[in-house]
């Protein structure tokens, strides 16, 4: 069946289309070239005057896995307070900051998102994470496997294993856990926390293994590059949320020495310690470093005001936040020999100086980083805010007058501690399409997502162009997933299965002998049970494999 989507204003940065009026053709779930005047479409959808973009892609959102389930348990009252009203086919579950799997897929699709990626999948929890991701309807998913605090990796470093052995271990882990990328969370710091250490600087040797975070960071970034994984090392940096942590962020940038690096939720790592409150914005310093180095990319981790729940593998940082819990409850735990987990409910308040300045710092980063291909729209869901805050965030980026109005409503000391009022930049529709579609697809290696050229998956979103960008982006007119209409006027009208995106880099299989010994001695699980088989992912037909090209980066 050939469907013609006719006459829309197409924003497709990957193919150089910036609002030009044109047609799209869809056959068998894919965008196809214009078949020419002799081919009559079976169906024509008139999109005259509408804005047309590819499906949006969330590069960093905690949607599945152990800590997400702990967050749901901890926020049970939120699920009772916000049940899903019967609307179309979205009928079960609930929650806002910690929504159920069904609600997660519905809410994303209702905003025009067709993919979201879990950025912290522990190897020992990978099977659980995949089962949850498979239960999320309407969107594609994938996971970034967490390394850098696991005992085997630290043992390899401490024993002097070479770059090839490190890369083989990383490659084996990506294959065994069916992951798309590699994440490092406070490298070395979580392991140090297990030895009752509460802080670890970049060049400080950690306990037991006596390995510095700098060595961990450079070894992982080098392994990712050596394996040719499309997405660079996804780094949750050091001293999250601590005033003055910008120095550690800049040290991390210097440590990789030109290798590709993605700094995640960088808003939480862009703090100075100046002023009478000993808390200040260092967004300009971080933005300058990113603007000068094409090897860097970031997602912001914008905070938005209101109740949420913070969930992170960074037990060192989360333990420090327990005194700020709202409501007063929290969970902190160690997970096998992999990492840790901390879940702390939190309410960001616009009249609290620190929270209000955090809000401004995130917006400064968005507005000061020049290249929309290297900065990504995230709230680190749910840590900075639920992902349902994205339409409000888009309006803040596109509407300076609205931004200034909101700035004036904050704690009265904040305006003089931020340069936000001086920043005149307003994002264009083309830049929003870049930051939320084309750029995430490119940096993740998703060659057939994030654009509307021939061969792309027909993930297409149709909007009414409204001056109020929040209203525009929170309720698309139509959302097509693989060519099938799944949302109309903000209501889910059809359910569809997503796919799981993975990489399968080559590695020397002899590394398995070393890994098997580690499992026998410490993990309490046989290696053959740890590996996830292909048929375990969405019933065996849900994998989308993406190429790894050693030496390409």
């Amino acid at each position: 069946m050939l469907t013609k989507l006719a006459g829309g204003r197409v924003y497709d940065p990957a193919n150089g289309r910036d609002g030009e009026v044109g047609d799209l053709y869809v056959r068998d779930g894919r965008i196809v070239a214009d078949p020419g005047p002799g081919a009559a479409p079976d169906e024509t959808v008139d999109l005259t005057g509408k804005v047309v973009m590819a499906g949006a892609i969330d590069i960093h959102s905690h949607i599945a896995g152990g800590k997400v389930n702990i967050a749901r348990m901890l926020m049970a009252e939120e699920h009772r307070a916000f049940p899903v009203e019967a609307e179309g086919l979205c009928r079960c579950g609930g929650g806002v900051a910690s929504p159920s799997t069904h609600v997660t897929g519905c809410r994303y699709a209702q905003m025009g998102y067709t993919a979201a990626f879990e950025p912290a999948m522990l190897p020992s929890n990978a099977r659980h994470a995949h089962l949850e991701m498979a239960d999320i309807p309407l969107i594609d998913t994938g996971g970034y496997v967490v390394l850098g605090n696991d005992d085997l990796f630290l043992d390899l470093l401490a024993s002097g294993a070479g770059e090839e052995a490190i890369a083989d271990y990383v490659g084996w882990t990506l294959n065994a856990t069916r992951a798309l990328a590699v994440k490092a969370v406070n490298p070395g710091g979580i392991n140090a926390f297990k030895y009752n250490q509460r802080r670890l600087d970049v060049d400080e040797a950690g306990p037991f293994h006596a390995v510095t975070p700098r060595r961990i960071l450079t070894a992982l970034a080098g392994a990712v590059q050596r394996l040719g994984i499309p997405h660079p090392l996804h780094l949750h940096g050091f001293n999250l949320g601590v005033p003055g942590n910008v120095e550690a962020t800049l040290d991390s940038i210097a440590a990789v020495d030109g290798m590709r690096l993605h700094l995640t939720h960088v808003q939480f790592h862009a703090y100075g310690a100046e002023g009478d409150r000993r808390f200040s914005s260092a967004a300009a310093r971080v933005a300058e470093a990113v603007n000068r180095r094409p090897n860097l990319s970031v997602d912001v981790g914008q905070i938005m005001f209101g109740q949420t729940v913070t969930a992170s593998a960074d037990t060192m940082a989360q333990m420090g936040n327990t005194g700020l819990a709202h409501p007063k409850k929290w969970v902190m735990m160690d997970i096998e020999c992999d990492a840790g987990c901390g879940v702390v409910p939190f309410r960001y308040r616009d009249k609290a100086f620190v929270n209000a300045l955090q809000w401004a710092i995130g917006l400064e980063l968005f507005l000061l980083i020049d290249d929309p291909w290297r900065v990504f729209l995230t709230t680190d869901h749910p840590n900075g805010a639920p992902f349902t805050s994205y339409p409000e965030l888009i309006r803040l980026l596109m509407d300076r007058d609205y931004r200034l109005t909101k700035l004036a409503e904050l704690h009265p000391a904040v305006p003089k501690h931020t340069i936000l009022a001086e920043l005149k930049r307003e994002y264009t529709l083309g830049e929003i399409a870049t930051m939320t579609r084309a750029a995430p697809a490119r940096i993740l290696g998703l060659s057939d997502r994030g654009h509307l050229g021939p061969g792309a998956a027909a993930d297409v979103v149709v909007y009414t162009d409204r001056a109020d960008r929040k209203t525009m982006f929170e309720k698309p007119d139509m959302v097509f997933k693989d060519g099938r209409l799944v949302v109309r006027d903000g209501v889910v009208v059809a359910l569809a299965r997503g796919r799981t995106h993975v990489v399968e880099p080559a590695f020397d299989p002899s590394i398995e002998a070393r890994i098997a010994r580690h499992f026998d001695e410490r993990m309490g699980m046989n290696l053959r049970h740890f590996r996830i088989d292909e048929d375990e992912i969405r019933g065996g037909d849900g994998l989308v494999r993406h190429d790894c090209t050693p030496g390409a980066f």
Side-chain angles (χ1 to χ4, degrees), residues 2-54:
L2 180 66
T3 300
K4 179 180 180 180
L5 305 178
R9 287 168 46 212
V10 179
Y11 289 86
D12 183 15
N15 291 296
R17 304 177 75 174
D18 191 29
E20 66 184 56
V21 175
D23 304 328
L24 297 174
Y25 293 87
V26 178
R27 177 182 282 129
D28 297 329
R30 294 274 166 180
I31 304 292
V32 296
D34 186 336
D42 300 288
E43 178 187 21
T44 298
V45 182
D46 184 7
L47 302 182
T48 302
K50 303 294 186 180
V51 170
V52 181
M53 297 182 182

Side-chain angles (χ1 to χ4, degrees), residues 251-276:
D251 282 347
S252 301
I253 292 170
V256 299
D257 193 26
M259 288 187 289
R260 297 169 74 234
L261 182 68
H262 180 87
L263 300 169
T264 192
H265 44 66
V266 72
Q267 177 275 136
F268 289 106
H269 304 274
Y271 301 156
E274 288 73 36
D276 55 354

